[in-house]
Amino acid sequence: QVQLVESGGGLVKPGGSLRLSCAASGFTFSDYYMSWIRQAPGKGLEWVSYISSSSSYTNYADSVKGRFTISRDNAKNSLYLQMNSLRAEDTAVYYCAREGPNSSVDYWGQGTLVTVSS
Amino acid sequence: QSVLTQPPSVSAAPGQKVTISCSGSSSNIGNNYVSWYQQLPGTAPKLLIYENNKRPSGIPDRFSGSKSGTSATLGITGLQTGDEADYYCGTWDSSLSAGGPHWVFGGGTKLTVL
């Protein structure tokens, strides 16, 4: 069965950095686009970034462009999100998500909480 | 605020039917498939409907989806207390914002089963 397991969240000071990881299993990771989607406390879903199956194409939300970098290692079945210059408004649960073949996000991880506070 | 517009909350009694609307524009709903997600309290979102009206395996036929123009609707019949959750619509947006195609979501609708 498909599993996506995030790690790397935690408490960080404003201006700091954090690297999130997502371990994928149960499917051919290299066949799928992958995304990071976040949810601030008590708020809705916000797409953050996605990466193509071969890493040739990436895109970012305006709110994180220039600060966050998405990457993947298909040999390790892993997705990453490097987050720099973190701000209080980046505080959220970050979900690793698979782009399904049918124009949907068909699997989500359990999420990892990132808290940016002094 | 969110690119897609949903009502903040809806409610109905057990056994009844409820609909949740999702309004967008030609750059998103008007030209792309809509999907719907259910988020039970304290859990990750789960795919409920894809390609406007299709259900993944394991999703009961009490859940249905439709799309017309730049709006979409999620319907739930035979409401159960276990359906209490937040529901989100989502789709691709082809506008030039964010530097290319990107996902957009509605603000979410909280379903209360009275």
Side-chain angles (χ1 to χ4, degrees), chain B residues 57-86:
Chain B
S57 61
I59 301 299
D61 59 7
R62 299 188 299 107
F63 295 90
S64 64
S66 64
K67 178 185 131 174
S68 178
T70 58
S71 294
T73 301
L74 173 71
I76 311 173
T77 59
L79 278 172
Q80 303 173 1
T81 55
D83 296 331
E84 285 204 339
D86 292 324

PDB file of all heavy atoms in Angstrom, chain B residues 57-86:
ATOM      1  N   SER B  57     -11.663   3.746  -5.171  1.00  0.00           N
ATOM      2  CA  SER B  57     -12.182   2.528  -4.557  1.00  0.00           C
ATOM      3  C   SER B  57     -12.247   2.713  -3.040  1.00  0.00           C
ATOM      4  O   SER B  57     -11.354   3.311  -2.435  1.00  0.00           O
ATOM      5  CB  SER B  57     -11.314   1.324  -4.910  1.00  0.00           C
ATOM      6  OG  SER B  57     -10.004   1.518  -4.425  1.00  0.00           O
ATOM      7  N   GLY B  58     -13.334   2.228  -2.462  1.00  0.00           N
ATOM      8  CA  GLY B  58     -13.514   2.335  -1.021  1.00  0.00           C
ATOM      9  C   GLY B  58     -14.344   3.526  -0.583  1.00  0.00           C
ATOM     10  O   GLY B  58     -14.751   3.591   0.586  1.00  0.00           O
ATOM     11  N   ILE B  59     -14.571   4.467  -1.470  1.00  0.00           N
ATOM     12  CA  ILE B  59     -15.427   5.615  -1.133  1.00  0.00           C
ATOM     13  C   ILE B  59     -16.870   5.250  -1.468  1.00  0.00           C
ATOM     14  O   ILE B  59     -17.186   4.909  -2.612  1.00  0.00           O
ATOM     15  CB  ILE B  59     -15.008   6.869  -1.921  1.00  0.00           C
ATOM     16  CG1 ILE B  59     -13.547   7.227  -1.616  1.00  0.00           C
ATOM     17  CG2 ILE B  59     -15.933   8.033  -1.583  1.00  0.00           C
ATOM     18  CD1 ILE B  59     -13.254   7.541  -0.168  1.00  0.00           C
ATOM     19  N   PRO B  60     -17.770   5.300  -0.481  1.00  0.00           N
ATOM     20  CA  PRO B  60     -19.164   4.900  -0.725  1.00  0.00           C
ATOM     21  C   PRO B  60     -19.867   5.819  -1.713  1.00  0.00           C
ATOM     22  O   PRO B  60     -19.508   6.990  -1.858  1.00  0.00           O
ATOM     23  CB  PRO B  60     -19.803   4.970   0.665  1.00  0.00           C
ATOM     24  CG  PRO B  60     -18.892   5.812   1.480  1.00  0.00           C
ATOM     25  CD  PRO B  60     -17.522   5.688   0.911  1.00  0.00           C
ATOM     26  N   ASP B  61     -20.895   5.268  -2.376  1.00  0.00           N
ATOM     27  CA  ASP B  61     -21.619   6.046  -3.377  1.00  0.00           C
ATOM     28  C   ASP B  61     -22.545   7.089  -2.759  1.00  0.00           C
ATOM     29  O   ASP B  61     -23.284   7.771  -3.471  1.00  0.00           O
ATOM     30  CB  ASP B  61     -22.391   5.132  -4.333  1.00  0.00           C
ATOM     31  CG  ASP B  61     -23.390   4.251  -3.621  1.00  0.00           C
ATOM     32  OD1 ASP B  61     -23.587   4.431  -2.397  1.00  0.00           O
ATOM     33  OD2 ASP B  61     -23.965   3.370  -4.278  1.00  0.00           O
ATOM     34  N   ARG B  62     -22.492   7.243  -1.450  1.00  0.00           N
ATOM     35  CA  ARG B  62     -23.205   8.354  -0.805  1.00  0.00           C
ATOM     36  C   ARG B  62     -22.547   9.691  -1.163  1.00  0.00           C
ATOM     37  O   ARG B  62     -23.169  10.746  -1.023  1.00  0.00           O
ATOM     38  CB  ARG B  62     -23.182   8.198   0.712  1.00  0.00           C
ATOM     39  CG  ARG B  62     -23.845   6.963   1.241  1.00  0.00           C
ATOM     40  CD  ARG B  62     -23.953   6.978   2.769  1.00  0.00           C
ATOM     41  NE  ARG B  62     -22.665   7.040   3.454  1.00  0.00           N
ATOM     42  CZ  ARG B  62     -22.201   8.117   4.079  1.00  0.00           C
ATOM     43  NH1 ARG B  62     -22.899   9.247   4.095  1.00  0.00           N
ATOM     44  NH2 ARG B  62     -21.028   8.075   4.700  1.00  0.00           N
ATOM     45  N   PHE B  63     -21.288   9.605  -1.600  1.00  0.00           N
ATOM     46  CA  PHE B  63     -20.541  10.796  -1.981  1.00  0.00           C
ATOM     47  C   PHE B  63     -20.567  10.927  -3.505  1.00  0.00           C
ATOM     48  O   PHE B  63     -20.296   9.970  -4.227  1.00  0.00           O
ATOM     49  CB  PHE B  63     -19.089  10.714  -1.500  1.00  0.00           C
ATOM     50  CG  PHE B  63     -18.946  10.709  -0.003  1.00  0.00           C
ATOM     51  CD1 PHE B  63     -18.957   9.509   0.705  1.00  0.00           C
ATOM     52  CD2 PHE B  63     -18.816  11.895   0.700  1.00  0.00           C
ATOM     53  CE1 PHE B  63     -18.834   9.494   2.080  1.00  0.00           C
ATOM     54  CE2 PHE B  63     -18.691  11.895   2.083  1.00  0.00           C
ATOM     55  CZ  PHE B  63     -18.703  10.692   2.780  1.00  0.00           C
ATOM     56  N   SER B  64     -20.885  12.138  -3.988  1.00  0.00           N
ATOM     57  CA  SER B  64     -20.933  12.377  -5.424  1.00  0.00           C
ATOM     58  C   SER B  64     -20.392  13.763  -5.739  1.00  0.00           C
ATOM     59  O   SER B  64     -20.354  14.644  -4.875  1.00  0.00           O
ATOM     60  CB  SER B  64     -22.370  12.250  -5.939  1.00  0.00           C
ATOM     61  OG  SER B  64     -23.191  13.255  -5.356  1.00  0.00           O
ATOM     62  N   GLY B  65     -19.963  13.933  -6.986  1.00  0.00           N
ATOM     63  CA  GLY B  65     -19.436  15.222  -7.401  1.00  0.00           C
ATOM     64  C   GLY B  65     -19.977  15.600  -8.763  1.00  0.00           C
ATOM     65  O   GLY B  65     -20.332  14.741  -9.567  1.00  0.00           O
ATOM     66  N   SER B  66     -20.040  16.898  -8.997  1.00  0.00           N
ATOM     67  CA  SER B  66     -20.466  17.396 -10.296  1.00  0.00           C
ATOM     68  C   SER B  66     -19.766  18.716 -10.571  1.00  0.00           C
ATOM     69  O   SER B  66     -19.238  19.360  -9.660  1.00  0.00           O
ATOM     70  CB  SER B  66     -21.993  17.570 -10.346  1.00  0.00           C
ATOM     71  OG  SER B  66     -22.399  18.567  -9.423  1.00  0.00           O
ATOM     72  N   LYS B  67     -19.766  19.091 -11.839  1.00  0.00           N
ATOM     73  CA  LYS B  67     -19.138  20.355 -12.232  1.00  0.00           C
ATOM     74  C   LYS B  67     -19.956  20.964 -13.364  1.00  0.00           C
ATOM     75  O   LYS B  67     -20.427  20.262 -14.255  1.00  0.00           O
ATOM     76  CB  LYS B  67     -17.697  20.109 -12.694  1.00  0.00           C
ATOM     77  CG  LYS B  67     -16.965  21.368 -13.167  1.00  0.00           C
ATOM     78  CD  LYS B  67     -15.595  21.034 -13.723  1.00  0.00           C
ATOM     79  CE  LYS B  67     -15.387  21.685 -15.068  1.00  0.00           C
ATOM     80  NZ  LYS B  67     -14.021  21.519 -15.592  1.00  0.00           N
ATOM     81  N   SER B  68     -20.084  22.286 -13.300  1.00  0.00           N
ATOM     82  CA  SER B  68     -20.757  23.015 -14.363  1.00  0.00           C
ATOM     83  C   SER B  68     -20.080  24.369 -14.517  1.00  0.00           C
ATOM     84  O   SER B  68     -20.079  25.172 -13.577  1.00  0.00           O
ATOM     85  CB  SER B  68     -22.242  23.209 -14.037  1.00  0.00           C
ATOM     86  OG  SER B  68     -22.874  23.966 -15.052  1.00  0.00           O
ATOM     87  N   GLY B  69     -19.504  24.605 -15.690  1.00  0.00           N
ATOM     88  CA  GLY B  69     -18.817  25.869 -15.911  1.00  0.00           C
ATOM     89  C   GLY B  69     -17.658  26.066 -14.956  1.00  0.00           C
ATOM     90  O   GLY B  69     -16.721  25.271 -14.928  1.00  0.00           O
ATOM     91  N   THR B  70     -17.732  27.123 -14.166  1.00  0.00           N
ATOM     92  CA  THR B  70     -16.641  27.437 -13.231  1.00  0.00           C
ATOM     93  C   THR B  70     -17.008  27.104 -11.790  1.00  0.00           C
ATOM     94  O   THR B  70     -16.410  27.642 -10.846  1.00  0.00           O
ATOM     95  CB  THR B  70     -16.254  28.924 -13.333  1.00  0.00           C
ATOM     96  OG1 THR B  70     -17.404  29.728 -13.047  1.00  0.00           O
ATOM     97  CG2 THR B  70     -15.725  29.261 -14.716  1.00  0.00           C
ATOM     98  N   SER B  71     -17.976  26.205 -11.608  1.00  0.00           N
ATOM     99  CA  SER B  71     -18.371  25.779 -10.265  1.00  0.00           C
ATOM    100  C   SER B  71     -18.459  24.274 -10.180  1.00  0.00           C
ATOM    101  O   SER B  71     -18.707  23.593 -11.177  1.00  0.00           O
ATOM    102  CB  SER B  71     -19.730  26.387  -9.879  1.00  0.00           C
ATOM    103  OG  SER B  71     -19.647  27.777  -9.764  1.00  0.00           O
ATOM    104  N   ALA B  72     -18.251  23.777  -8.977  1.00  0.00           N
ATOM    105  CA  ALA B  72     -18.361  22.350  -8.704  1.00  0.00           C
ATOM    106  C   ALA B  72     -19.149  22.153  -7.423  1.00  0.00           C
ATOM    107  O   ALA B  72     -19.243  23.064  -6.590  1.00  0.00           O
ATOM    108  CB  ALA B  72     -16.973  21.716  -8.581  1.00  0.00           C
ATOM    109  N   THR B  73     -19.694  20.948  -7.277  1.00  0.00           N
ATOM    110  CA  THR B  73     -20.507  20.647  -6.100  1.00  0.00           C
ATOM    111  C   THR B  73     -20.214  19.247  -5.607  1.00  0.00           C
ATOM    112  O   THR B  73     -20.097  18.306  -6.390  1.00  0.00           O
ATOM    113  CB  THR B  73     -22.005  20.757  -6.439  1.00  0.00           C
ATOM    114  OG1 THR B  73     -22.295  22.074  -6.909  1.00  0.00           O
ATOM    115  CG2 THR B  73     -22.859  20.480  -5.208  1.00  0.00           C
ATOM    116  N   LEU B  74     -20.082  19.133  -4.297  1.00  0.00           N
ATOM    117  CA  LEU B  74     -19.968  17.839  -3.624  1.00  0.00           C
ATOM    118  C   LEU B  74     -21.302  17.554  -2.953  1.00  0.00           C
ATOM    119  O   LEU B  74     -21.847  18.413  -2.272  1.00  0.00           O
ATOM    120  CB  LEU B  74     -18.862  17.874  -2.581  1.00  0.00           C
ATOM    121  CG  LEU B  74     -18.743  16.637  -1.690  1.00  0.00           C
ATOM    122  CD1 LEU B  74     -18.210  15.450  -2.492  1.00  0.00           C
ATOM    123  CD2 LEU B  74     -17.815  16.915  -0.490  1.00  0.00           C
ATOM    124  N   GLY B  75     -21.821  16.355  -3.159  1.00  0.00           N
ATOM    125  CA  GLY B  75     -23.056  15.950  -2.514  1.00  0.00           C
ATOM    126  C   GLY B  75     -22.811  14.765  -1.600  1.00  0.00           C
ATOM    127  O   GLY B  75     -22.022  13.867  -1.924  1.00  0.00           O
ATOM    128  N   ILE B  76     -23.454  14.790  -0.461  1.00  0.00           N
ATOM    129  CA  ILE B  76     -23.373  13.679   0.476  1.00  0.00           C
ATOM    130  C   ILE B  76     -24.790  13.330   0.899  1.00  0.00           C
ATOM    131  O   ILE B  76     -25.526  14.184   1.402  1.00  0.00           O
ATOM    132  CB  ILE B  76     -22.550  14.032   1.730  1.00  0.00           C
ATOM    133  CG1 ILE B  76     -21.213  14.667   1.353  1.00  0.00           C
ATOM    134  CG2 ILE B  76     -22.310  12.770   2.578  1.00  0.00           C
ATOM    135  CD1 ILE B  76     -20.418  15.202   2.547  1.00  0.00           C
ATOM    136  N   THR B  77     -25.178  12.075   0.661  1.00  0.00           N
ATOM    137  CA  THR B  77     -26.506  11.631   1.059  1.00  0.00           C
ATOM    138  C   THR B  77     -26.402  10.687   2.247  1.00  0.00           C
ATOM    139  O   THR B  77     -25.310  10.194   2.572  1.00  0.00           O
ATOM    140  CB  THR B  77     -27.217  10.901  -0.096  1.00  0.00           C
ATOM    141  OG1 THR B  77     -26.417   9.775  -0.482  1.00  0.00           O
ATOM    142  CG2 THR B  77     -27.383  11.825  -1.295  1.00  0.00           C
ATOM    143  N   GLY B  78     -27.537  10.419   2.899  1.00  0.00           N
ATOM    144  CA  GLY B  78     -27.539   9.510   4.035  1.00  0.00           C
ATOM    145  C   GLY B  78     -26.503   9.884   5.081  1.00  0.00           C
ATOM    146  O   GLY B  78     -25.734   9.040   5.531  1.00  0.00           O
ATOM    147  N   LEU B  79     -26.509  11.160   5.489  1.00  0.00           N
ATOM    148  CA  LEU B  79     -25.482  11.667   6.394  1.00  0.00           C
ATOM    149  C   LEU B  79     -25.333  10.823   7.654  1.00  0.00           C
ATOM    150  O   LEU B  79     -26.327  10.384   8.256  1.00  0.00           O
ATOM    151  CB  LEU B  79     -25.784  13.101   6.784  1.00  0.00           C
ATOM    152  CG  LEU B  79     -25.353  14.180   5.789  1.00  0.00           C
ATOM    153  CD1 LEU B  79     -25.900  15.532   6.208  1.00  0.00           C
ATOM    154  CD2 LEU B  79     -23.846  14.210   5.654  1.00  0.00           C
ATOM    155  N   GLN B  80     -24.061  10.617   8.044  1.00  0.00           N
ATOM    156  CA  GLN B  80     -23.730   9.895   9.265  1.00  0.00           C
ATOM    157  C   GLN B  80     -22.868  10.795  10.140  1.00  0.00           C
ATOM    158  O   GLN B  80     -22.179  11.685   9.633  1.00  0.00           O
ATOM    159  CB  GLN B  80     -22.971   8.617   8.913  1.00  0.00           C
ATOM    160  CG  GLN B  80     -23.720   7.698   7.973  1.00  0.00           C
ATOM    161  CD  GLN B  80     -22.885   6.519   7.510  1.00  0.00           C
ATOM    162  OE1 GLN B  80     -21.728   6.366   7.898  1.00  0.00           O
ATOM    163  NE2 GLN B  80     -23.478   5.670   6.678  1.00  0.00           N
ATOM    164  N   THR B  81     -22.876  10.536  11.431  1.00  0.00           N
ATOM    165  CA  THR B  81     -22.053  11.358  12.327  1.00  0.00           C
ATOM    166  C   THR B  81     -20.581  11.255  11.963  1.00  0.00           C
ATOM    167  O   THR B  81     -19.816  12.209  12.149  1.00  0.00           O
ATOM    168  CB  THR B  81     -22.267  10.939  13.788  1.00  0.00           C
ATOM    169  OG1 THR B  81     -22.010   9.538  13.921  1.00  0.00           O
ATOM    170  CG2 THR B  81     -23.713  11.211  14.222  1.00  0.00           C
ATOM    171  N   GLY B  82     -20.186  10.131  11.406  1.00  0.00           N
ATOM    172  CA  GLY B  82     -18.802   9.949  10.993  1.00  0.00           C
ATOM    173  C   GLY B  82     -18.406  10.784   9.785  1.00  0.00           C
ATOM    174  O   GLY B  82     -17.222  10.829   9.430  1.00  0.00           O
ATOM    175  N   ASP B  83     -19.376  11.455   9.152  1.00  0.00           N
ATOM    176  CA  ASP B  83     -19.074  12.337   8.020  1.00  0.00           C
ATOM    177  C   ASP B  83     -18.650  13.719   8.476  1.00  0.00           C
ATOM    178  O   ASP B  83     -18.250  14.542   7.655  1.00  0.00           O
ATOM    179  CB  ASP B  83     -20.290  12.465   7.095  1.00  0.00           C
ATOM    180  CG  ASP B  83     -20.686  11.156   6.441  1.00  0.00           C
ATOM    181  OD1 ASP B  83     -19.798  10.302   6.234  1.00  0.00           O
ATOM    182  OD2 ASP B  83     -21.883  10.990   6.129  1.00  0.00           O
ATOM    183  N   GLU B  84     -18.776  13.999   9.785  1.00  0.00           N
ATOM    184  CA  GLU B  84     -18.361  15.305  10.288  1.00  0.00           C
ATOM    185  C   GLU B  84     -16.871  15.510  10.038  1.00  0.00           C
ATOM    186  O   GLU B  84     -16.025  14.768  10.538  1.00  0.00           O
ATOM    187  CB  GLU B  84     -18.652  15.441  11.782  1.00  0.00           C
ATOM    188  CG  GLU B  84     -20.111  15.668  12.104  1.00  0.00           C
ATOM    189  CD  GLU B  84     -20.317  16.350  13.446  1.00  0.00           C
ATOM    190  OE1 GLU B  84     -19.392  16.298  14.292  1.00  0.00           O
ATOM    191  OE2 GLU B  84     -21.387  16.936  13.656  1.00  0.00           O
ATOM    192  N   ALA B  85     -16.588  16.513   9.244  1.00  0.00           N
ATOM    193  CA  ALA B  85     -15.206  16.738   8.800  1.00  0.00           C
ATOM    194  C   ALA B  85     -15.147  18.066   8.065  1.00  0.00           C
ATOM    195  O   ALA B  85     -16.165  18.722   7.848  1.00  0.00           O
ATOM    196  CB  ALA B  85     -14.762  15.610   7.867  1.00  0.00           C
ATOM    197  N   ASP B  86     -13.931  18.435   7.684  1.00  0.00           N
ATOM    198  CA  ASP B  86     -13.733  19.559   6.781  1.00  0.00           C
ATOM    199  C   ASP B  86     -13.592  19.007   5.365  1.00  0.00           C
ATOM    200  O   ASP B  86     -12.904  18.001   5.148  1.00  0.00           O
ATOM    201  CB  ASP B  86     -12.481  20.345   7.155  1.00  0.00           C
ATOM    202  CG  ASP B  86     -12.620  21.061   8.487  1.00  0.00           C
ATOM    203  OD1 ASP B  86     -13.729  21.533   8.803  1.00  0.00           O
ATOM    204  OD2 ASP B  86     -11.614  21.134   9.224  1.00  0.00           O
TER     205      ASP B  86
END
